[in-house]
Amino acid sequence: MAFTAFSATAAAAPHAPRKRSWTALILLAPGIAYMLLFFLAPFIQLVITSLQAPADTGGIGDYVAAFQFSNYAAAIQEYWPHILRSFVYAVIATIAGLIISYPLAYLIGVRLRPYPMLQGLALILVIAPFFISFLLRTLAWKQILPSEVIGTDFSVIFGLTYNFIPFMTLPIFASLQQLDLRLVEAGSDLYASPVTTFRKVTLPLSMPGVVSGTLLSFIPMSGDYVNASREFLGSTSTPMIGNVIEASFLQTQNYPLAATLSIILMAIILVIVATYVRRSGTEDLL
């Protein structure tokens, strides 16, 4: 009987994982289909476009399928100042956003925690800019800032910082909102100074929010083309790589160049993000 029972169990065991695997596959199917349709397929098309060569007709926007890998070397050689400028702007704006957002998030998430109404009001003030169009907000600053400032590096970095402040503030607020204040009180009870308590307790526990906010801000900043545009806060001396990609796609119709620069931008961002996340000790975000 024991052998029969063991045999029945052994025979039934292989079926259970199979059912679970089918269930998991069905549940994952929408996500997999989404990734294939909206990420993998466009990415493959982007790679194919980046390797195209000009057609013999010589017409604007006429390209044929090829394996012209020299497109990448030519793009880097010609547009490396734009690539470098984009990442310098993005790094400075991200640091400025962090300096502004962390105290703001600390105020809302920790100091205003005993006052739910004030905390909700402060959160609404942070989110309020989202209710206005990105373009309108940027154009408004073009009217507010002095004309001498418009078209400079400062105005572009200012625009990037302002427009992405909520992306930095909200993740940090979410981390600080979960902070157990008894740990901070324990630091004081152990005669640690406020600075030491912040460095040893508050900052490490809020690092997931800092890393998330930094990535959510830095990645779109690197590819932004609105703030640096001449129609908004930039000038002919401040174009970012996003402006070159936009002009190549929509104006000069140089599709291989635009696709090549897009892939280069994506690759550099992936390397920077992976390095940053690993060095910050939050590999779970990868």
Side-chain angles (χ1 to χ4, degrees):
M1 182 176 292
F3 177 78
T4 304
F6 174 79
S7 301
T9 304
H15 294 290
R18 190 177 304 166
K19 288 180 180 177
R20 286 198 297 270
S21 65
W22 278 107
T23 303
L25 187 60
I26 291 172
L27 292 174
L28 289 172
I32 294 173
Y34 177 88
M35 293 295 291
L36 291 175
L37 187 61
F38 295 105
F39 178 76
L40 188 60
F43 179 75
I44 293 174
Q45 181 59 45
L46 197 65
V47 173
I48 293 173
T49 303
S50 72
L51 299 175
Q52 288 180 340
D56 294 335
T57 58
I60 297 176
D62 291 339
Y63 296 92
V64 295
F67 292 98
Q68 195 157 301
F69 292 97
S70 59
N71 289 347
Y72 286 86
I76 294 174
Q77 186 176 5
E78 186 171 359
Y79 293 102
W80 69 265
H82 300 76
I83 298 173
L84 180 62
R85 185 183 299 118
S86 299
F87 286 106
V88 170
Y89 282 173
V91 168
I92 296 174
T94 301
I95 294 173
L98 180 61
I99 293 172
I100 297 170
S101 295
Y102 198 98
L104 181 60
Y106 185 85
L107 172 69
I108 301 172
V110 177
R111 295 297 182 185
L112 294 183
R113 195 182 297 181
Y115 313 101
M117 185 174 292
L118 286 177
Q119 189 181 47
L121 180 62
L123 273 177
I124 290 175
L125 292 176
V126 172
I127 301 172
F130 277 109
F131 299 132
I132 304 172
S133 165
F134 187 94
L135 300 181
L136 289 179
R137 277 182 279 142
T138 311
L139 278 175
W141 277 112
K142 187 175 183 178
Q143 302 300 320
I144 295 171
L145 292 173
S147 58
E148 296 81 9
V149 174
I150 300 299
T152 62
D153 296 337
F154 173 81
S155 63
V156 176
I157 294 171
F158 177 87
L160 289 171
T161 305
Y162 168 77
N163 280 313
F164 292 96
I165 279 288
F167 291 85
M168 181 74 79
T169 305
L170 294 178
I172 299 175
F173 161 75
S175 289
L176 290 172
Q177 180 70 5
Q178 304 299 323
L179 178 66
D180 189 346
L181 297 181
R182 291 174 298 181
L183 298 175
V184 179
E185 294 173 0
S188 301
D189 293 341
L190 295 172
Y191 301 102
S193 66
V195 174
T196 302
T197 303
F198 174 79
R199 187 166 55 85
K200 296 286 188 180
V201 178
T202 306
L203 185 59
L205 292 177
S206 62
M207 275 308 291
V210 172
V211 174
S212 299
T214 302
L215 297 181
L216 288 175
S217 304
F218 175 77
I219 293 173
M221 283 180 186
S222 303
D224 182 79
Y225 66 93
V226 173
N227 291 281
S229 172
R230 283 178 291 177
E231 286 75 21
F232 292 91
L233 300 177
S235 66
T236 54
S237 62
T238 61
M240 297 171 66
I241 197 63
N243 299 101
V244 179
I245 294 173
E246 185 261 348
S248 300
F249 262 123
L250 302 180
Q251 297 175 20
T252 62
Q253 298 182 17
N254 190 343
Y255 304 125
L257 173 63
T260 301
L261 290 173
S262 300
I263 292 176
I264 292 172
L265 179 65
M266 187 187 308
I268 295 175
I269 288 176
L270 282 175
V271 171
I272 293 175
V273 167
T275 304
Y276 172 69
V277 170
R278 289 193 180 280
R279 286 189 175 276
S280 61
T282 51
E283 289 85 353
D284 292 342
L285 291 174
L286 287 176

